[in-house]
Amino acid sequence: MTGTTDERPTPRRSTRFRLTVLGCTAVPLCFAGWLGWQALAGGGSPAATGTSASPPPAAPPPATTGPGTAPASTGAGPSPSSTASGGARPLTGRTVLLDPGHNSNNVNHTAEINRLVDIGNARKECDTTGTETDAGYTEAAYTLDVSHRARAILEARGAKVVFTHDGDREYGPCIDERAKIGNEAHADAAVSVHGDGAPASVSGFHVIMPAKVTAGAADTSAIVDPSHRLGVTLRDGFKAATGEPYADYIGEQGLDTRSDLGGLNLSKVPKVFIECGNMRNSGDAQRMTDPQWRQLAAQGIADALTAYLTTPAG
Ligand SMILES: [Zn+2]
């Protein structure tokens, strides 16, 4: 919802060129790592069904072909990229923070969520209502559903998954608390899940990474580089799983860097946002409303986190 959601941009373009410089030296390496994970993982994941103890399938998995070659959303089951071994549990001992953007109850607590909180270099609303499709499917419902699906996959791979909220709070949490929860969990990686509310004529997904911010309580110096690697890996994994095109209205090749998001400014752990699509665009809205597509979205997020956490930083 333009102007009201935390992740809506303020005009800034100065950081765009940083992307090509810092870049996961990156993209090929990161994606190679992700492919490596896929190859390594072998068998079938129980994740798509949300169970955690399915045996590996007898048949070999279909090949993963890479970005831009997303599996068809047939609804017949897990995507090819979901074929990670349930037995490997490569994320044992790792902690992932998933931050479902907004909260369905925020709409009933406008006074509380409009309270300003300190994000280091500015003061911003505690939280926002988020956007929704023209048909009324809310961003808060979307983000929680995709986070649930991603959690199931990640837990099946052995990760400890921490949520900032699980639809169980009256409102929020505030954006500063969302960051704090990840910090206190000592998360190895954090992803904030969102859908955008841009004009109806534009579409696509993008990943938002933290700029270097050192102001007040914000100091992202230590997380800029790992968050960039996480962002590129997430961009590639999400594209591979969903086939969703890069946003055609913001960022560069599906990547953006910002200094105005409290959830990033206050994070001490590698963290990125993903705007999975533009809920105001009819095509994106149709996909985001489809549970089968949301499973692919969750698969992409989980696969990217797995790749990030199992590939040595280079
Ligand atoms: Zn949002």
Side-chain angles (χ1 to χ4, degrees), residues 202-248:
V202 300
S203 62
F205 85 97
H206 69 286
V207 172
I208 305 168
M209 303 170 295
K212 182 174 179 178
V213 176
T214 52
D219 183 357
T220 60
S221 304
I223 68 160
V224 165
D225 286 349
S227 298
H228 192 275
R229 186 169 76 87
L230 173 61
V232 172
T233 307
L234 179 56
R235 187 275 309 269
D236 292 348
F238 192 83
K239 181 82 158 69
T242 65
E244 179 76 5
Y246 300 144
D248 58 12

Side-chain angles (χ1 to χ4, degrees), residues 5-7 101-102 128 130-131 139 143 193-196 273 275:
T5 63
D6 179 55
E7 72 277 14
H102 314 282
T128 51
T131 189
E139 180 185 356
T143 65
V193 181
H194 287 264
D196 213 352
F273 278 42
E275 299 281 358

Side-chain angles (χ1 to χ4, degrees), residues 185-199:
H186 301 290
D188 295 297
V191 173
S192 188
V193 181
H194 287 264
D196 213 352

Side-chain angles (χ1 to χ4, degrees), residues 24 26-37 64-67 232-233 236-237 240 307:
C24 199
V27 179
L29 281 179
C30 290
F31 187 64
W34 182 79
L35 284 179
W37 151 248
T64 298
T65 47
V232 172
T233 307
D236 292 348

Side-chain angles (χ1 to χ4, degrees), residues 142-167:
Y142 172 85
T143 65
L144 194 57
D145 181 81
V146 169
S147 297
H148 282 154
R149 294 170 185 271
R151 177 172 64 185
I153 299 168
L154 291 162
E155 286 183 342
R157 293 176 182 170
K160 175 184 177 183
V161 180
V162 176
F163 271 29
T164 55
H165 79 99
D166 200 355

Side-chain angles (χ1 to χ4, degrees), residues 65-83:
T65 47
T69 53
S73 180
T74 61
S79 68
S81 59
S82 69
T83 52

